[in-house]
Structures are given as structure tokens and as C-alpha cells.
Amino acid sequence: MEYTSLGRTGLSVSRICLGTMNFGPHTDEAAAHALMDTAHQEGLNFFDTANTYGGGDHRGRTEQIIGSWFAQGGGRRERTVLATKLYGNAGAPGRAPWPNEDKLSALNIRRACEASLKRLGTDYIDVYQMHHVDRATPWEEIWQAMEVLVAQGKVLYVGSSNFAGWHIAAAQAAAGRRHFTGLVAEQSLYNLLARTVELEVLPSARYHGLGVIPWSPLQGGLLGGVLRKAGQSGVRSADRARKLTAAQREQLQSYEDLCDKLGHEPGTVALAWLLHQPAVTAPIVGPRTADQLDTALRALDVTLDQETLDRLDEIFPGHRPAPEDYAW
């Protein structure tokens, strides 16, 4: 297993991050426990979750499943770099959130952290991530609340998710004024089909020393061989394939043909491409089964030569950092 530092920290994380969003809604507790055990056996130590995962009336269920796995002992917690998130409504199911039950007020940051620690059955969170930017709460308030959690030992590092490049810059400027570390990582939508972050988010993250943790590396399954699977009577894939535009279908057909030529599964190539991007720390994979996890891990053994990388850029054109990308 390959490991790397998370941004400008001394924290060593696996080059693949285990996403747990499916735990609860699609993967029951026993299967989730087995999947996390397999992840540890394969050397994955970086797990990502959120306080709202579980969905609907089961918000927080995913954290509870992780907590019950930690409770089995055997070094499970000690060997895991745990990232969770706050922002969304984490109030009681079946009602609208009360004030300060969502977003990033100092009160909600405190409450949400305490609730996550309880569900997770741990006394600290390695990376506490803001799931979205809160345009209504001043950075001074956010950082003061995070500083308290760090001082109490309940949070080691703070991260962001779905931030624009200028949000990262503003956050780091405010943290710097307080002599606080600020952000150490950013989670962004990033894959061969979604490359907008190359304009400003990735340059900002690199400038400020943040690790980048791409979510949806297969663009909801489109980069996982959707055309091939649709032809194999996959109901879900067939539905996705029907919704493709002509241009998307042409792109994906060229992509799947290239993957066939390379001798690798499309999903493996998509992950391998992300691992070849210098700004990327660890793509998040959200397997429901051990077989899906195994497919993702194969990406670590795939080396894409420059000719292949150039061909992928032809199929899925990317961006240069701004302002060069905007130049005539």
C-alpha cells in the first residue's frame, strides 16, 4: 500500500480513501464491518464519513456503524485516520432543523462535534471537515470554534469540502491572522468528466499546502464502464446509458475502447488517472462490496504513460489554471 502525507501535515494516509456513504442505506452493519476489516487488511487507513450519512430518518447511522466497528477493538481506531464532516441538518429526524442545528455557527460546530464523537465512539476526530462553505458565518467565528476543539484534543486537523478557490484563500487568510493552522485538506468533485476544479481550486489548494481528496471519482458510475455494463443487462447502468447525450456516449465509448486496449477496467483507469495528478492526495471510493474495493485497489498498481495521459486529455479535455485557461 502507498502512503502519503495529508497536505502540509505529518499525517500519513493511504493513497485510496474509503468512503462510507453507502454504510446503512446500501450496506448493512455486518457487511460494512467486514468491508472495513478488509480495508485494513489491504493497508487502507484513511476513512471518510459525515454526520448526515445514513440518509433521511437515519442521519448519523453511518457514523454509528463505524463506531460499533471501532468498539470491537483490535487497534481498529488507532490504525484509522478518520475524517468526518458537519454542515447539513443533523437534528432529530422528521422535522426541520432548529436554529444552530446546521451550518457553521460556533454553537453548531460544538454540538455537531460532540454528537459525532458519541456516534463514532471515539474521543477525537483526525480531520474535521466543513461539508460546504457557510456564507453567513464569519471566518473569525468558525476558526475560534475550531481552535477550541483542537485545544481540547477533540479535533486534530480541519478540512473543507466543496469550497471554491477563493473560499480556501479567505479561510487561510483568516486562520493566518489568528496564528492557526487552518485548512489541511479539501474534498472536491474531480474526475475525468468533471475537471472544473483545475481552474482555481487545485491551484489554490497547492499554493496553500492542502491535500486534495476527490469525491465521485467515477462520476456516479459513468466512468466505471457504463456502456459495457448496460450491454450486460445491468438495470442501473442501462438507465444511465439511456440518459447520455450523443456527445457523452461518444466520449465514453472512446474511453472504454482505450481501457480495453490498456487491459484494465474503466473504473481502475479513472482512479489511476487521479492518482497521476500531482495535486491529488487520495480519491474517495465508496464500495458496497469487497469486490468493488478490490477493483479500486488495482488502480494503485497501474502506471499510465504519457501517451495514455495525452489520449485521456483528448477524450476528456481539462483546464489550465486561471487565467491561462481564459486566454485567447
Side-chain angles (χ1 to χ4, degrees):
M1 174 58 63
E2 296 179 43
Y3 297 90
T4 188
S5 294
L6 181 62
R8 50 192 168 82
T9 76
L11 200 61
S12 293
V13 297
S14 49
R15 291 298 313 279
I16 296 288
C17 178
L18 180 70
T20 63
M21 182 181 287
N22 288 314
F23 293 0
H26 304 291
T27 305
D28 65 25
E29 185 168 356
H33 285 186
L35 195 55
M36 288 186 283
D37 281 335
T38 299
H40 266 191
Q41 290 164 12
E42 295 294 336
L44 265 71
N45 73 335
F46 194 16
F47 291 9
D48 175 76
T49 191
N51 64 344
T52 56
Y53 288 176
D57 289 342
H58 303 284
R59 294 186 299 269
R61 177 59 181 146
T62 302
E63 287 187 332
Q64 290 174 340
I65 289 173
I66 296 171
S68 62
W69 181 71
F70 284 155
Q72 296 178 31
R76 286 174 170 81
R77 177 63 186 100
E78 292 78 6
R79 288 189 289 153
T80 300
V81 174
L82 176 66
T84 192
K85 311 182 197 75
L86 81 155
Y87 182 91
N89 171 22
R95 63 165 172 79
W98 293 337
N100 301 307
E101 282 191 319
D102 61 359
K103 301 185 181 176
L104 302 176
S105 70
L107 182 55
N108 188 53
I109 288 173
R110 187 184 74 178
R111 286 175 172 172
C113 183
E114 294 292 348
S116 284
L117 290 172
K118 182 177 180 179
R119 286 189 293 266
L120 290 162
T122 185
D123 57 1
Y124 72 100
I125 295 164
D126 295 278
V127 188
Y128 200 34
Q129 303 164 114
M130 295 170 274
H131 213 154
H132 299 281
V133 70
D134 184 350
R135 297 179 178 90
T137 303
W139 276 113
E140 288 72 19
E141 177 179 346
I142 292 170
W143 285 137
Q144 187 275 338
M146 292 296 187
E147 288 166 14
V148 170
L149 295 179
V150 171
Q152 292 173 336
K154 296 175 181 177
V155 167
L156 300 186
Y157 302 101
V158 181
S160 59
S161 181
N162 304 307
F163 275 31
W166 75 270
H167 293 144
I168 293 172
Q172 296 306 78
R177 291 192 295 270
R178 302 179 65 88
H179 305 288
F180 185 60
T181 303
L183 302 172
V184 304
E186 158 64 16
Q187 272 194 38
S188 288
L189 173 64
Y190 188 30
N191 57 60
L192 281 164
L193 277 165
R195 299 180 61 171
T196 307
V197 292
E198 293 173 347
L199 286 167
E200 297 189 10
V201 175
L202 298 190
S204 182
R206 294 187 74 180
Y207 177 82
H208 291 286
L210 276 62
V212 175
I213 311 166
W215 59 267
S216 195
L218 305 187
Q219 189 65 4
L222 293 182
L223 292 166
V226 65
L227 298 179
R228 180 193 305 175
K229 292 176 181 177
Q232 299 171 349
S233 70
V235 176
R236 190 178 180 189
S237 295
D239 184 57
R240 286 174 177 158
R242 280 194 298 271
K243 295 177 181 178
L244 293 173
T245 66
Q248 289 173 321
R249 183 177 292 275
E250 183 178 347
Q251 271 186 309
L252 291 171
Q253 187 62 66
S254 297
Y255 172 65
E256 293 186 19
D257 290 344
L258 175 62
C259 293
D260 287 340
K261 181 180 177 181
L262 295 172
H264 298 299
E265 291 294 319
T268 301
V269 173
L271 285 170
W273 177 81
L274 280 170
L275 290 168
H276 280 68
Q277 306 312 304
V280 169
T281 300
I284 300 174
V285 300
R288 296 187 298 276
T289 66
D291 286 342
Q292 290 176 344
L293 177 59
D294 182 64
T295 298
L297 290 174
R298 291 176 200 156
L300 294 168
D301 299 320
V302 174
T303 300
L304 303 177
D305 59 26
Q306 192 57 51
E307 181 181 355
T308 300
L309 293 170
D310 291 343
R311 177 58 182 145
L312 288 169
D313 281 338
E314 290 176 4
I315 298 171
F316 304 107
H319 296 280
R320 294 177 297 168
E324 289 84 355
D325 197 77
Y326 310 143
W328 290 95

